Amino acid sequence: MLESPLIFQACLGILVFFIFPVALSENRRRIDYKFVVLGLAVQIFLAVVITKIAFVQSSFLWVSEGINKLKCATCEGTKFVFGYLGGGDVPFLMKEGASPFIFAFQPLPMVMVVSAISMLLFHWRILPIIVRGFSWALRKTLNIGGALGVCAAAKVFLGQTEAPLLIRPYLSQFTRSELFTVMTAGMATTSASIMILYGQILENTIQNPISHILTASIISIPAAITISRIMIPQTGEDTSGELVLPYHFSGAMDAVSQGASDGMKLFLNIIAMLIVALALVAIANYILGTFPDFNNEAVTLQRLLGFFMAPVTWLMGIPWEEAKAAGNLLGTKTILNEVVAFIDLSNLKSALSPHTNLIMTYALCGFANLSSIGIQIGGLGTMVPERRAEIISLGFRALIAGTIASCLSGTIMGLLFWMN
């Protein structure tokens, strides 16, 4: 049966995804292999609990339904502000095959709504309680320091620069390994503000996309901690510490106002990144188009990336005939960003199997791309300017570690796919 070779590929892939960071490790003699096994076990345990236990699955479906209600609520705002551009009734006849869907005016504004709600939950002390709960679980299972546990737990919900704010007073005391773990966790996961956007993009690609995206963000945390501590082993004492609230609001409306303002900045930043990223790809393809065709196909950046990334996706348990297309997606995410890659995945849904769509949803769900290196240098470098040079030196390694962590999550979920 087809499943047998794919299962073998995925098991081989898990092995390779651990061997590769060992080869890149700064100090192989100090790698704690018991910690590595424990980290993998925790990741698999979380994946099994989330996907196999009915109560947990029901909870995630409940979250998905809540997100759909939030989507409808946001649409009420976009229709009022943007009219038919934001999802309202179209005042003219549409050509056959045309769509009134406009990315910037319909799904993207939800970033602002979620950002405002997140700040309100911070003000009401609800989100900090959830973060403390996740932090306690990470400290007890993986035996990491309190400050790192807080940051890693917060990464399930917050961005790669927002989460470190919760432990800003401790960052200067972090060991090199702990600092690298903060950066890797930022690369390997996403944030609540943006994961809703992913769900809207993928709503016709996989079932209950929000559930999968939230699962990806959760199970990639132990993967990020494990891979980062292989590449840069912990050689000093773990930094203790507790959550420090970085936001101080005078009231609920102040929290909503600040959240909406921050969401607007993210909204505009995403628009700018997409325009520039897609333009740069087009320019690169224009240049590559001057070269002779390869296998009767024009040379493009996507095909080149697919060629190099295809073996990686094959190791994740994807059939070879789909590995090239999946490699294109992984390369697009790394060079550009995950939003462009998710859009490409949604366009390819009929060309890929449900198994491959699921794996790639998890593999693409993270901020591991070149622009994130600059974001982390700017964000963390501002919080701890005395360690800016060290942050710069760790940037590309964090990109590699974050990519491996996301691929590991996709591989594990692909294996669980056959158990359904």
Short mmCIF file of all heavy atoms in Angstrom, two decimals, residues 103-137:
data_model
loop_
_atom_site.label_atom_id
_atom_site.label_comp_id
_atom_site.label_asym_id
_atom_site.label_seq_id
_atom_site.Cartn_x
_atom_site.Cartn_y
_atom_site.Cartn_z
N PHE A 103 -8.47 40.80 -1.16
CA PHE A 103 -7.69 40.34 0.00
C PHE A 103 -7.50 41.45 1.02
O PHE A 103 -7.68 41.24 2.23
CB PHE A 103 -6.34 39.83 -0.49
CG PHE A 103 -5.50 39.23 0.60
CD1 PHE A 103 -5.77 37.96 1.10
CD2 PHE A 103 -4.42 39.93 1.13
CE1 PHE A 103 -5.01 37.42 2.10
CE2 PHE A 103 -3.65 39.39 2.13
CZ PHE A 103 -3.94 38.12 2.62
N ALA A 104 -7.15 42.64 0.59
CA ALA A 104 -6.82 43.73 1.52
C ALA A 104 -8.04 44.24 2.28
O ALA A 104 -7.91 44.72 3.41
CB ALA A 104 -6.17 44.89 0.77
N PHE A 105 -9.24 44.12 1.70
CA PHE A 105 -10.43 44.72 2.30
C PHE A 105 -11.37 43.72 2.97
O PHE A 105 -12.32 44.13 3.62
CB PHE A 105 -11.21 45.50 1.24
CG PHE A 105 -10.46 46.66 0.66
CD1 PHE A 105 -10.45 46.90 -0.70
CD2 PHE A 105 -9.75 47.52 1.49
CE1 PHE A 105 -9.76 47.97 -1.24
CE2 PHE A 105 -9.05 48.59 0.96
CZ PHE A 105 -9.06 48.81 -0.40
N GLN A 106 -11.11 42.41 2.81
CA GLN A 106 -12.03 41.43 3.40
C GLN A 106 -11.38 40.57 4.49
O GLN A 106 -11.71 40.75 5.67
CB GLN A 106 -12.67 40.58 2.30
CG GLN A 106 -13.60 41.42 1.41
CD GLN A 106 -14.19 40.65 0.26
OE1 GLN A 106 -14.48 39.47 0.34
NE2 GLN A 106 -14.39 41.33 -0.87
N PRO A 107 -10.43 39.68 4.19
CA PRO A 107 -9.85 38.90 5.29
C PRO A 107 -8.82 39.66 6.13
O PRO A 107 -8.73 39.47 7.34
CB PRO A 107 -9.18 37.71 4.56
CG PRO A 107 -8.85 38.23 3.22
CD PRO A 107 -9.94 39.21 2.88
N LEU A 108 -8.06 40.54 5.49
CA LEU A 108 -6.94 41.17 6.18
C LEU A 108 -7.34 42.08 7.35
O LEU A 108 -6.63 42.12 8.36
CB LEU A 108 -6.08 41.94 5.17
CG LEU A 108 -4.63 42.23 5.58
CD1 LEU A 108 -3.92 40.97 6.03
CD2 LEU A 108 -3.86 42.87 4.42
N PRO A 109 -8.46 42.82 7.28
CA PRO A 109 -8.81 43.69 8.42
C PRO A 109 -9.03 42.94 9.73
O PRO A 109 -8.99 43.57 10.80
CB PRO A 109 -10.10 44.36 7.95
CG PRO A 109 -9.99 44.41 6.47
CD PRO A 109 -9.31 43.12 6.11
N MET A 110 -9.23 41.61 9.69
CA MET A 110 -9.42 40.88 10.93
C MET A 110 -8.17 40.96 11.82
O MET A 110 -8.25 40.78 13.04
CB MET A 110 -9.77 39.42 10.65
CG MET A 110 -10.25 38.67 11.90
SD MET A 110 -10.68 36.95 11.61
CE MET A 110 -12.22 37.16 10.79
N VAL A 111 -7.03 41.23 11.22
CA VAL A 111 -5.80 41.41 11.99
C VAL A 111 -5.99 42.51 13.02
O VAL A 111 -5.56 42.38 14.18
CB VAL A 111 -4.63 41.74 11.04
CG1 VAL A 111 -3.40 42.19 11.83
CG2 VAL A 111 -4.27 40.54 10.18
N MET A 112 -6.64 43.59 12.63
CA MET A 112 -6.86 44.70 13.55
C MET A 112 -7.83 44.32 14.66
O MET A 112 -7.64 44.68 15.83
CB MET A 112 -7.37 45.91 12.77
CG MET A 112 -6.36 46.51 11.80
SD MET A 112 -6.99 47.95 10.91
CE MET A 112 -8.04 47.16 9.70
N VAL A 113 -8.89 43.58 14.32
CA VAL A 113 -9.88 43.18 15.31
C VAL A 113 -9.26 42.24 16.35
O VAL A 113 -9.45 42.42 17.56
CB VAL A 113 -11.07 42.48 14.61
CG1 VAL A 113 -12.08 41.99 15.65
CG2 VAL A 113 -11.75 43.42 13.63
N VAL A 114 -8.50 41.26 15.87
CA VAL A 114 -7.87 40.30 16.79
C VAL A 114 -6.84 41.00 17.67
O VAL A 114 -6.71 40.70 18.86
CB VAL A 114 -7.23 39.14 16.00
CG1 VAL A 114 -6.44 38.23 16.94
CG2 VAL A 114 -8.29 38.34 15.27
N SER A 115 -6.11 41.95 17.10
CA SER A 115 -5.12 42.69 17.88
C SER A 115 -5.82 43.46 19.01
O SER A 115 -5.34 43.48 20.15
CB SER A 115 -4.36 43.66 16.98
OG SER A 115 -3.44 44.43 17.73
N ALA A 116 -6.95 44.07 18.71
CA ALA A 116 -7.69 44.82 19.73
C ALA A 116 -8.21 43.89 20.82
O ALA A 116 -8.13 44.20 22.02
CB ALA A 116 -8.84 45.58 19.07
N ILE A 117 -8.73 42.73 20.42
CA ILE A 117 -9.25 41.77 21.40
C ILE A 117 -8.12 41.23 22.27
O ILE A 117 -8.29 41.04 23.49
CB ILE A 117 -9.98 40.62 20.68
CG1 ILE A 117 -11.27 41.15 20.02
CG2 ILE A 117 -10.31 39.49 21.65
CD1 ILE A 117 -12.00 40.13 19.18
N SER A 118 -6.95 41.00 21.67
CA SER A 118 -5.80 40.50 22.44
C SER A 118 -5.40 41.48 23.53
O SER A 118 -5.13 41.09 24.68
CB SER A 118 -4.61 40.25 21.50
OG SER A 118 -4.90 39.24 20.56
N MET A 119 -5.36 42.78 23.19
CA MET A 119 -5.01 43.78 24.19
C MET A 119 -6.07 43.86 25.29
O MET A 119 -5.75 44.06 26.46
CB MET A 119 -4.84 45.15 23.52
CG MET A 119 -3.64 45.27 22.61
SD MET A 119 -2.05 45.01 23.45
CE MET A 119 -1.70 43.32 22.94
N LEU A 120 -7.33 43.68 24.91
CA LEU A 120 -8.40 43.69 25.90
C LEU A 120 -8.25 42.50 26.85
O LEU A 120 -8.44 42.63 28.07
CB LEU A 120 -9.75 43.63 25.20
CG LEU A 120 -11.00 43.78 26.08
CD1 LEU A 120 -10.98 45.13 26.81
CD2 LEU A 120 -12.27 43.63 25.25
N LEU A 121 -7.88 41.33 26.32
CA LEU A 121 -7.67 40.14 27.15
C LEU A 121 -6.46 40.33 28.07
O LEU A 121 -6.43 39.79 29.18
CB LEU A 121 -7.49 38.90 26.28
CG LEU A 121 -8.74 38.46 25.50
CD1 LEU A 121 -8.41 37.27 24.61
CD2 LEU A 121 -9.87 38.12 26.45
N PHE A 122 -5.47 41.07 27.62
CA PHE A 122 -4.34 41.40 28.48
C PHE A 122 -4.80 42.31 29.62
O PHE A 122 -4.42 42.11 30.79
CB PHE A 122 -3.23 42.08 27.68
CG PHE A 122 -2.05 41.20 27.42
CD1 PHE A 122 -1.83 40.65 26.17
CD2 PHE A 122 -1.14 40.90 28.43
CE1 PHE A 122 -0.75 39.84 25.92
CE2 PHE A 122 -0.07 40.08 28.20
CZ PHE A 122 0.13 39.55 26.94
N HIS A 123 -5.61 43.31 29.27
CA HIS A 123 -6.09 44.23 30.29
C HIS A 123 -6.94 43.53 31.35
O HIS A 123 -6.86 43.84 32.53
CB HIS A 123 -6.91 45.34 29.62
CG HIS A 123 -7.56 46.28 30.58
ND1 HIS A 123 -6.85 47.12 31.42
CD2 HIS A 123 -8.89 46.51 30.84
CE1 HIS A 123 -7.68 47.83 32.15
NE2 HIS A 123 -8.93 47.47 31.83
N TRP A 124 -7.73 42.56 30.92
CA TRP A 124 -8.58 41.80 31.83
C TRP A 124 -7.83 40.66 32.52
O TRP A 124 -8.41 39.89 33.27
CB TRP A 124 -9.77 41.24 31.08
CG TRP A 124 -10.80 42.28 30.73
CD1 TRP A 124 -10.93 43.53 31.28
CD2 TRP A 124 -11.84 42.16 29.75
NE1 TRP A 124 -11.98 44.20 30.71
CE2 TRP A 124 -12.57 43.39 29.77
CE3 TRP A 124 -12.23 41.17 28.86
CZ2 TRP A 124 -13.66 43.62 28.92
CZ3 TRP A 124 -13.31 41.38 28.02
CH2 TRP A 124 -14.02 42.60 28.05
N ARG A 125 -6.53 40.54 32.26
CA ARG A 125 -5.66 39.52 32.88
C ARG A 125 -6.04 38.08 32.51
O ARG A 125 -5.64 37.14 33.18
CB ARG A 125 -5.66 39.65 34.42
CG ARG A 125 -5.18 40.99 34.96
CD ARG A 125 -3.72 41.22 34.61
NE ARG A 125 -3.16 42.37 35.32
CZ ARG A 125 -3.13 43.62 34.84
NH1 ARG A 125 -3.65 43.87 33.66
NH2 ARG A 125 -2.59 44.61 35.55
N ILE A 126 -6.76 37.92 31.40
CA ILE A 126 -7.13 36.58 30.95
C ILE A 126 -5.98 35.92 30.19
O ILE A 126 -5.59 34.78 30.47
CB ILE A 126 -8.39 36.64 30.06
CG1 ILE A 126 -9.58 37.11 30.89
CG2 ILE A 126 -8.68 35.26 29.45
CD1 ILE A 126 -10.85 37.33 30.08
N LEU A 127 -5.41 36.65 29.24
CA LEU A 127 -4.30 36.09 28.45
C LEU A 127 -3.07 35.80 29.31
O LEU A 127 -2.43 34.76 29.14
CB LEU A 127 -3.95 37.05 27.30
CG LEU A 127 -3.12 36.47 26.15
CD1 LEU A 127 -3.76 35.22 25.60
CD2 LEU A 127 -2.93 37.51 25.06
N PRO A 128 -2.70 36.67 30.26
CA PRO A 128 -1.57 36.33 31.14
C PRO A 128 -1.78 35.04 31.92
O PRO A 128 -0.82 34.28 32.14
CB PRO A 128 -1.49 37.54 32.07
CG PRO A 128 -2.02 38.68 31.28
CD PRO A 128 -3.13 38.07 30.45
N ILE A 129 -3.00 34.76 32.35
CA ILE A 129 -3.27 33.51 33.08
C ILE A 129 -3.03 32.30 32.18
O ILE A 129 -2.42 31.30 32.59
CB ILE A 129 -4.72 33.50 33.62
CG1 ILE A 129 -4.87 34.54 34.73
CG2 ILE A 129 -5.10 32.12 34.13
CD1 ILE A 129 -6.30 34.71 35.21
N ILE A 130 -3.48 32.40 30.92
CA ILE A 130 -3.27 31.31 29.97
C ILE A 130 -1.78 31.11 29.72
O ILE A 130 -1.29 29.98 29.68
CB ILE A 130 -4.02 31.59 28.66
CG1 ILE A 130 -5.52 31.68 28.91
CG2 ILE A 130 -3.71 30.52 27.62
CD1 ILE A 130 -6.33 32.10 27.70
N VAL A 131 -1.05 32.21 29.55
CA VAL A 131 0.39 32.14 29.31
C VAL A 131 1.10 31.49 30.49
O VAL A 131 1.98 30.64 30.33
CB VAL A 131 0.96 33.55 29.04
CG1 VAL A 131 2.49 33.52 29.06
CG2 VAL A 131 0.47 34.07 27.70
N ARG A 132 0.71 31.87 31.71
CA ARG A 132 1.33 31.27 32.90
C ARG A 132 1.07 29.76 32.95
O ARG A 132 1.94 28.99 33.36
CB ARG A 132 0.80 31.95 34.15
CG ARG A 132 1.35 33.35 34.40
CD ARG A 132 0.98 33.85 35.79
NE ARG A 132 1.54 35.18 36.03
CZ ARG A 132 0.86 36.32 35.91
NH1 ARG A 132 -0.40 36.29 35.52
NH2 ARG A 132 1.44 37.48 36.16
N GLY A 133 -0.11 29.34 32.52
CA GLY A 133 -0.43 27.91 32.51
C GLY A 133 0.45 27.15 31.54
O GLY A 133 1.02 26.10 31.89
N PHE A 134 0.60 27.67 30.32
CA PHE A 134 1.48 27.04 29.35
C PHE A 134 2.92 27.04 29.83
O PHE A 134 3.67 26.08 29.66
CB PHE A 134 1.38 27.75 28.00
CG PHE A 134 0.26 27.28 27.12
CD1 PHE A 134 -0.93 27.99 27.05
CD2 PHE A 134 0.38 26.14 26.37
CE1 PHE A 134 -1.98 27.56 26.26
CE2 PHE A 134 -0.65 25.69 25.56
CZ PHE A 134 -1.83 26.41 25.50
N SER A 135 3.34 28.15 30.44
CA SER A 135 4.71 28.28 30.94
C SER A 135 5.00 27.23 32.01
O SER A 135 6.06 26.60 32.01
CB SER A 135 4.93 29.68 31.50
OG SER A 135 6.19 29.79 32.12
N TRP A 136 4.06 27.05 32.93
CA TRP A 136 4.22 26.04 33.98
C TRP A 136 4.39 24.65 33.37
O TRP A 136 5.24 23.87 33.79
CB TRP A 136 3.01 26.07 34.91
CG TRP A 136 3.05 25.03 35.98
CD1 TRP A 136 3.65 25.11 37.20
CD2 TRP A 136 2.46 23.72 35.92
NE1 TRP A 136 3.48 23.93 37.91
CE2 TRP A 136 2.75 23.07 37.15
CE3 TRP A 136 1.71 23.04 34.95
CZ2 TRP A 136 2.32 21.77 37.41
CZ3 TRP A 136 1.29 21.75 35.22
CH2 TRP A 136 1.59 21.13 36.44
N ALA A 137 3.58 24.34 32.35
CA ALA A 137 3.66 23.02 31.71
C ALA A 137 5.01 22.82 31.03
O ALA A 137 5.61 21.74 31.12
CB ALA A 137 2.52 22.88 30.69
#
